[in-house]
Amino acid sequence: MFSQNLTLRFLPFILLLLLAATVAAQPRPARQAKPNEPAKTPDEKPRKIKPERGDAYNRWLNDDVAPIINEAERQAYLKLKTNEEREKFIHHFWDLRDPDPDTAENEYRDEYYERIAYANEHYSSGKPGSKTDRGRIYIKFGKPDDIESRPSGGLYQRMSYEGGGSISAYPFEKWFYRYLPGVGSGVEIEFVDPTGSGEYRIARNANEKNVMAHGLASADSADSGYRREQDSPFAIIEKLRNLEQPPEFTRRTPGGTTSGPVIDDNPLNFDIRADFFKLSDGRVLTAFTLQTENKDLAFKDSGGLQTARLNIFGKIVTVTERRVGDFEDSVTTNATVAELTEAREKRSAYSKVVVLGPGHYRADVLVRDTVSGATGLRHFGFQVPNYEDHKLSTSSLILASKLENMDGKLATGPFVIGQTKVIPNLTGIFRQGQAVGVYLELYHAGIDQTTLRPSVDVEYALLKDGKEVSRQTEDWRGIADSGQRLRLARLIDTRGLQAGVYELLIRINDRVSGQALEPSAKFTLIKSRE
């Protein structure tokens, strides 16, 4: 009885729930268009854009350009919806920073990525070098004008403005820039490695490198009453704040200046050449030579010597833009005050040797005069030859300004090939009376089974206006690698020659295999100084 009464009592509520469920299950009628409302075309309907930002685009924003992109650009990039929009933004980003829009290359972008590669190679310490303090400063502002490096720390005699006296120091470096746009002139940045891990961090005061004062000292704890204005707490805070900002940039245009960094106001001219020598099967020694005119360099007094300094950076890539090598060096040319006038009439050369396989490559080389700031950039294409077995072949034929036999000496260092020091003359211009050095290697010469020596006839002829003016023979006395590598290294006397253009023709005939070669090179002889 109790159960029946309960059912009758709640029956109205049960019927109401069933009715609501039936209504909810009915399909909704289609939306009726309002009277006189035109139908929307597909182009007028709301777009359903799926945000797409791949890893490459994230890396570009958060890794590649993080040190130089400003906040307005970052926010604009984050609002983009498609990769096509991002591609256009990236193109415009670098275009704004192109110092010379009239050229096909973007010199700033090329140099920027070279800086990243250098930072990752030299400043890594448990994390990429580009993420370290030194790496970020280098990427933003380039190589310092001067570096004081004490990688082992130890006993250090402080300057008077640091407090004077001797301290035990952590490993540290001081970087000096003559001028940084947006930061100031005479910018000094100190990096300290208190953990010994190799990660140098920007110091907030001069005592951070002091082992005994670590964690206790401040910029005000110097023992001396003398302190430079740039070492005051306010000046240091201002400098650090400016160093954190994206670097300023301006670009030259026909109508004035717009946004974009200036790499250099004046170009630096230099010549570049690649020579090839067989090393082993599938490996070729590739020797790059860079040459500048000393008259184009800026000399500065350094310890009583007039010194010109060049920073050289190069990268080597394949036809698919895969990097296979790079190099970075600082080279100097010195002269006394008395020698400077004569030194300016000479040339300076730099050599770098890398090992490559046969194929096509490109070398991107940047040369900067650290005193004047003049910079030169070359994109140099070259082909590394394939030295096939049993096929008579030669190395590059080099006309050298200096040729020296290193027998009895330590045969190492720049320009040394085997036992010979060879400095190529890239201009091909010699003065009357100046010896013309000739260097050549011959590979895969046949072996006479009777004498077990190569049987090769070699003569070199000097031609002027198509006429032979001299001829000499070579007996290949220097034999190495069981005859597989024969070297010709000879100086040509020019004292009896008239000024003009000459061609050196080397005739090579292998009696064993019957193969013949005729490598040649031209040079110009000018009148000697009176």
Side-chain angles (χ1 to χ4, degrees), residues 408-473:
K409 301 178 182 179
L410 185 62
T412 60
F415 302 105
V416 174
I417 306 172
Q419 292 295 316
T420 308
K421 187 170 186 176
V422 185
I423 301 181
N425 184 335
L426 272 61
T427 65
I429 300 175
F430 297 83
R431 291 190 176 275
Q432 287 176 310
Q434 179 185 2
V436 177
V438 180
Y439 186 88
L440 181 73
E441 292 184 357
L442 180 65
Y443 309 119
H444 307 134
I447 302 297
D448 188 322
Q449 296 303 311
T450 303
T451 63
L452 298 181
R453 294 170 63 88
S455 181
V456 181
D457 292 329
V458 175
E459 66 177 20
Y460 56 94
L462 208 55
L463 289 76
K464 185 176 186 295
D465 300 326
K467 297 179 181 180
E468 189 172 302
V469 296
S470 68
R471 181 191 301 181
Q472 296 184 23
T473 60

Side-chain angles (χ1 to χ4, degrees), residues 7 11 96 146 234 273 277 279 341 358 370 459 463 475 508:
T7 300
L11 183 58
L96 283 176
D146 187 49
F234 294 106
R273 169 189 173 112
F277 306 89
L279 189 61
T341 300
T370 62
E459 66 177 20
L463 289 76
D475 59 10
I508 302 172

Side-chain angles (χ1 to χ4, degrees), residues 23 92 136 321 323 370 454 472 477:
V23 172
H92 183 64
R136 289 186 299 104
E321 297 295 324
R323 184 179 295 219
T370 62
Q472 296 184 23
R477 291 178 181 176

Side-chain angles (χ1 to χ4, degrees), residues 368-383:
R368 184 188 300 275
D369 186 323
T370 62
V371 177
S372 68
T375 298
L377 178 66
R378 297 285 187 276
H379 300 287
F380 175 68
F382 60 96
Q383 181 179 1

Side-chain angles (χ1 to χ4, degrees), residues 125 133-134 147-156 162 167-175 189-212 214:
S125 58
D133 283 357
R134 287 186 301 172
I147 297 179
E148 177 186 354
S149 180
R150 294 178 179 265
S152 300
L155 188 65
Y156 171 68
E162 295 177 305
I167 63 169
S168 179
Y170 292 114
F172 72 92
E173 285 187 357
K174 287 183 180 180
W175 289 15
I189 309 170
E190 189 167 85
F191 302 90
V192 180
D193 177 19
T195 63
S197 63
E199 182 178 348
Y200 289 73
R201 301 171 184 174
I202 290 182
R204 266 62 183 174
N205 62 71
N207 274 325
E208 286 196 23
K209 61 179 174 289
N210 188 346
V211 173
M212 301 304 295
H214 185 63

Side-chain angles (χ1 to χ4, degrees), residues 248-486:
E248 293 183 355
F249 53 86
T250 55
R251 184 177 70 184
R252 302 185 304 275
T253 64
T257 59
T258 60
S259 295
V262 174
I263 296 298
D264 282 293
D265 290 329
N266 53 326
L268 177 66
N269 294 319
F270 67 92
D271 297 313
I272 183 171
R273 169 189 173 112
D275 293 300
F276 311 103
F277 306 89
K278 180 182 177 182
L279 189 61
S280 62
D281 292 340
R283 301 172 68 219
V284 178
L285 189 149
T286 304
F288 295 98
T289 303
L290 277 68
Q291 183 174 277
T292 61
E293 300 284 346
N294 285 352
K295 63 183 179 181
D296 295 332
L297 306 182
F299 285 81
K300 181 181 179 181
D301 184 83
S302 177
L305 285 177
Q306 299 298 306
T307 302
R309 184 182 300 276
L310 296 177
N311 287 341
I312 300 173
F313 185 94
K315 69 175 180 180
I316 304 169
V317 298
T318 65
V319 291
T320 59
E321 297 295 324
R322 180 173 64 88
R323 184 179 295 219
V324 294
D326 51 41
F327 51 91
E328 201 272 350
D329 283 300
S330 180
V331 296
T332 59
T333 296
N334 299 312
T336 64
V337 175
E339 298 169 339
L340 185 58
T341 300
E342 183 180 354
R344 288 188 182 278
E345 298 300 319
K346 298 181 180 180
R347 306 180 186 97
S348 295
Y350 163 80
S351 174
K352 183 65 179 182
V353 174
V354 296
V355 177
L356 299 171
H360 293 270
Y361 299 87
R362 188 187 77 240
D364 298 330
V365 181
L366 186 75
V367 179
R368 184 188 300 275
D369 186 323
T370 62
V371 177
S372 68
T375 298
L377 178 66
R378 297 285 187 276
H379 300 287
F380 175 68
F382 60 96
Q383 181 179 1
V384 177
N386 182 18
Y387 292 111
E388 301 178 17
D389 290 341
H390 311 299
K391 183 177 180 180
L392 192 68
S393 56
T394 71
S395 70
S396 301
L397 171 58
I398 299 178
L399 299 184
S401 58
K402 182 176 182 179
L403 199 64
E404 179 183 355
N405 192 327
M406 302 293 288
D407 287 343
K409 301 178 182 179
L410 185 62
T412 60
F415 302 105
V416 174
I417 306 172
Q419 292 295 316
T420 308
K421 187 170 186 176
V422 185
I423 301 181
N425 184 335
L426 272 61
T427 65
I429 300 175
F430 297 83
R431 291 190 176 275
Q432 287 176 310
Q434 179 185 2
V436 177
V438 180
Y439 186 88
L440 181 73
E441 292 184 357
L442 180 65
Y443 309 119
H444 307 134
I447 302 297
D448 188 322
Q449 296 303 311
T450 303
T451 63
L452 298 181
R453 294 170 63 88
S455 181
V456 181
D457 292 329
V458 175
E459 66 177 20
Y460 56 94
L462 208 55
L463 289 76
K464 185 176 186 295
D465 300 326
K467 297 179 181 180
E468 189 172 302
V469 296
S470 68
R471 181 191 301 181
Q472 296 184 23
T473 60
E474 176 65 43
D475 59 10
W476 296 103
R477 291 178 181 176
I479 298 178
D481 298 343
S482 301
Q484 293 301 298
R485 185 190 310 267
L486 304 176

